Amino acid sequence: MYTRIEYLNICVLLIIGFANCVSSYHVDIIDNGPIVKGANITFKATVYYGDKFASGTFMYSWKDRAVPTHTREFQSKNPIDEWTVLYNATIYPQGPYVVQVTVCKYFLVYCAEIGSNRVEFYINETLNGDILLIQKNKTRPDLFVSNAEPVIHNVSLKQTDADYIKQAPSVLTYWFVDCVYYGFRKDFEFPFNYTQAEKEHLIEALVVADFSPPPPPPTTTVPTTTTTTTTIKPNTTTTSTTTPKPTTTTKPTNSVTTPTTTTATPTNSTKVKRDVDSQSKIMVNVNGTLQPFKGNFPFVCNGTQVATDSHKTYGYFFKRVKVRAPVAKVNVTGNNWLQHGDLLTLNVKCHGSRNFKYCVQYQRGLYNVTGNETCYIYQELDKCEFTIQRYFSDSMEHTVVIIIENEVGKVVYPVTVTVYKVKKQAQLSVIVVPVAFSLVAVVLIVFGVAYYLQNRSRFVVEVADFNFGQNYSDMEYKTFKERLRDAIANAFFTRAPSPGSSEVPVWPPGRKYGSMTS
């Protein structure tokens, strides 16, 4: 048996464990607001246990702070619960509202609160949305548009507001460009061409959803007639006269409200008059000439506040656009046939609006561009003029992909470059110089031989054959000096008489020569 203190301890432990278990739950809540007056808004609550979806049976208790208040209780085993509320335009004015959800979980038969949360949302007077700028079936991510393509202006409404105005019998969109009225359309699109680059324009759209009840059928008046009804009864004759009423079932209080039934206080009347006067800024194009527009519109052109109709829901949207010229007329010059070892040099020029940026990709072989090529790093330019230089170490075809962009356009320009090798040949000087010198040497040799043969007799030396036939004992060996001395002595001191012309000269034995041979 447990004592009383033990029971208390067990209860305390159970309570602590239960508190720790409950503290692990939390509730998140989101909504799809803001909404326009009269539209539905959906709240979504999600129960988590730690970082996972909770499990079990839950009771969701919803309540808002509107007057009158909306409440809801719903039991579910799903950790996600959604609550959709309609805020009637005639009851709930524009402004901030708060909705709260409290979630409890069933532990056996007891539903313990595990979390709660609240969210603030807004109910607006006008429709919620934005103007989208569409060119080439793509939505422009910024305020820049191209002057080379028409722009489709599209009013994109929040889904809650779009679902709400679908109930209206008439929905019209009025379009204005720089306070010039271009008429209305039954859809939410407006095509327009901006032809001048470097201009800015103000686009305004006014959506009007008319919830006015349809007019009653026309009434007809039947002439007054007198009818006599005779009832045959015993001893009774009845005659009655009736005057028919118009055959309409519409009560006078339910007649269609026209614009003249809208009343305003003197202060509002003064404001409306002032705003109507400001409508003179709205122009209309009549046969190519701008003229003041005689009508008036709420909200448009400097935020005018013309009196609105309680049976109509309005949406006012505006956007400023900047017109730019896209990248065009790309011109690439340079030699794209390169001998191996040469440096590629390409000069690129193009036209378009400023704020250019470019990058270059190099692809081996032939490459077919897709138009979706991009680069991680771009070079920015004030003027579309730059030079590309590249050295290719191999000999093959390459594709230089030039990507040029500005704020409204993009051009992908491919250039095929062919690198080729040339078989090396000896230079002309290496061949001509040796051949020329060889010919000169041959010519010199030939002329030298010819000259020698022609003038050989000038250089012939007669050689005496000193064959005296006999050997003289007085002929002894003498040196050169001795022979020279003897020759001089014989020439100057011992001169024999010269023989006559008719006599045969008699030479001494030492002076006699033998036959001369050449």
Side-chain angles (χ1 to χ4, degrees):
M1 296 296 295
Y2 293 105
T3 63
R4 191 172 184 179
I5 297 177
E6 291 175 340
Y7 274 116
L8 290 175
N9 291 334
I10 293 174
C11 291
V12 169
L13 292 175
L14 290 175
I15 292 173
I16 294 174
F18 180 77
N20 291 334
C21 178
V22 171
S23 64
S24 299
Y25 290 92
H26 65 277
V27 179
D28 288 346
I29 183 173
I30 59 175
D31 65 89
N32 59 350
I35 60 171
V36 69
K37 291 194 308 181
N40 293 324
I41 185 170
T42 300
F43 306 97
K44 180 180 178 181
T46 305
V47 183
Y48 293 94
Y49 183 77
D51 56 353
K52 298 180 180 179
F53 289 115
S55 60
T57 303
F58 306 97
M59 176 64 73
Y60 298 91
S61 299
W62 295 89
K63 183 179 180 180
D64 66 3
R65 293 184 181 178
V67 179
T69 302
H70 299 87
T71 59
R72 173 180 178 267
E73 288 189 350
F74 181 71
Q75 181 177 330
S76 173
K77 293 184 178 181
N78 192 337
I80 299 175
D81 185 42
E82 293 184 354
W83 183 36
T84 301
V85 185
L86 171 63
Y87 288 88
N88 195 303
T90 60
I91 300 176
Y92 300 95
Q94 66 174 350
Y97 293 81
V98 176
V99 67
Q100 178 176 324
V101 61
T102 301
V103 182
C104 66
K105 180 180 178 181
Y106 282 93
F107 294 91
L108 297 179
V109 295
Y110 176 69
C111 189
E113 182 179 333
I114 59 175
S116 64
N117 207 338
R118 66 183 63 183
V119 65
E120 184 180 51
F121 64 96
Y122 288 84
I123 297 179
N124 293 331
E125 182 74 23
T126 57
L127 297 169
N128 301 279
D130 193 13
I131 295 180
L132 303 182
L133 306 176
I134 302 174
Q135 283 188 310
K136 294 183 178 180
N137 297 324
K138 295 182 179 179
T139 302
R140 296 293 309 169
D142 45 32
L143 304 181
F144 297 97
V145 297
S146 171
N147 67 341
E149 298 288 338
V151 181
I152 304 297
H153 307 79
N154 179 269
V155 175
S156 177
L157 299 176
K158 283 183 64 70
Q159 190 61 45
T160 55
D161 296 7
D163 294 339
Y164 170 65
I165 65 173
K166 285 180 181 178
Q167 307 170 22
S170 173
V171 179
L172 299 177
T173 306
Y174 301 85
W175 290 95
F176 306 84
V177 178
D178 297 330
C179 279
V180 177
Y181 175 49
Y182 284 89
F184 65 88
R185 298 177 65 91
K186 293 184 179 181
D187 55 11
F188 298 104
E189 292 187 350
F190 170 61
F192 194 80
N193 288 330
Y194 300 97
T195 57
Q196 296 183 357
E198 313 305 329
K199 297 288 185 179
E200 294 188 11
H201 301 276
L202 174 63
I203 311 302
E204 296 176 283
L206 179 65
V207 180
V208 180
D210 192 353
F211 289 89
S212 300
T219 59
T220 58
T221 303
V222 180
T224 303
T225 58
T226 301
T227 59
T228 301
T229 303
T230 302
T231 304
I232 300 175
K233 291 185 179 180
N235 301 323
T236 303
T237 302
T238 303
T239 302
S240 64
T241 302
T242 62
T243 302
K245 296 180 180 180
T247 58
T248 177
T249 58
T250 305
K251 297 181 181 180
T253 56
N254 292 335
S255 58
V256 178
T257 303
T258 61
T260 57
T261 60
T262 302
T263 60
T265 60
T267 304
N268 292 336
S269 299
T270 304
K271 181 178 181 182
V272 170
K273 184 178 184 303
R274 183 175 65 253
D275 291 336
V276 171
D277 292 340
S278 68
Q279 290 293 311
S280 60
K281 295 183 179 180
I282 299 179
M283 309 295 286
V284 63
N285 193 327
V286 179
N287 297 327
T289 304
L290 294 180
Q291 299 180 3
F293 183 66
K294 298 180 180 179
N296 51 38
F297 297 94
F299 308 112
V300 299
C301 288
N302 299 327
T304 56
Q305 296 291 331
V306 177
T308 58
D309 190 342
S310 61
H311 293 283
K312 296 177 181 179
T313 298
Y314 299 89
Y316 171 69
F317 309 94
F318 70 92
K319 179 163 288 188
R320 295 189 179 273
V321 299
K322 301 179 181 180
V323 185
R324 297 290 185 266
V327 180
K329 297 181 181 179
V330 178
N331 184 25
V332 180
T333 58
N335 186 13
N336 56 350
W337 283 82
L338 303 176
Q339 183 177 340
H340 185 266
D342 291 347
L343 183 67
L344 172 68
T345 301
L346 299 176
N347 297 315
V348 184
K349 294 182 179 181
C350 68
H351 295 79
S353 296
R354 294 181 57 184
N355 296 332
F356 296 98
K357 61 180 182 179
Y358 81 97
C359 67
V360 182
Q361 295 180 355
Y362 301 94
Q363 305 289 343
R364 295 172 62 89
L366 296 177
Y367 176 79
N368 295 324
V369 298
T370 62
N372 297 323
E373 289 79 4
T374 58
C375 294
Y376 293 104
I377 300 177
Y378 284 88
Q379 299 291 331
E380 295 184 356
L381 300 170
D382 289 333
K383 183 180 180 181
C384 188
E385 184 174 348
F386 56 93
T387 301
I388 300 173
Q389 291 185 330
R390 178 79 172 186
Y391 174 76
F392 298 99
S393 59
D394 52 5
S395 299
M396 61 178 299
E397 287 184 327
H398 297 265
T399 302
V400 180
V401 182
I402 305 172
I403 305 172
I404 308 175
E405 297 183 23
N406 65 356
E407 293 159 332
V408 295
K410 173 182 177 181
V411 171
V412 181
Y413 194 94
V415 178
T416 302
V417 178
T418 302
V419 183
Y420 61 92
K421 276 188 177 182
V422 179
K423 185 178 180 180
K424 291 186 177 181
Q425 298 179 356
Q427 296 181 358
L428 187 62
S429 59
V430 178
I431 299 174
V432 172
V433 172
V435 172
F437 277 98
S438 299
L439 292 176
V440 171
V442 171
V443 171
L444 291 177
I445 293 173
V446 170
F447 274 94
V449 171
Y451 182 80
Y452 171 75
L453 294 177
Q454 183 179 2
N455 300 283
R456 183 177 53 180
S457 59
R458 298 181 182 180
F459 302 101
V460 173
V461 178
E462 293 184 354
V463 180
D465 186 4
F466 296 94
N467 186 8
F468 300 103
Q470 296 179 0
N471 293 327
Y472 296 95
S473 57
D474 59 350
M475 295 296 296
E476 59 184 9
Y477 175 77
K478 294 181 180 181
T479 62
F480 175 77
K481 292 182 179 181
E482 293 175 344
R483 289 196 301 273
L484 182 60
R485 186 185 56 195
D486 292 341
I488 293 173
N490 293 331
F492 292 98
F493 300 104
T494 306
R495 297 184 60 92
S498 298
S501 59
S502 60
E503 296 179 354
V504 177
V506 178
W507 300 93
R511 297 285 305 273
K512 187 177 181 179
Y513 292 93
S515 63
M516 297 296 294
T517 59
S518 60

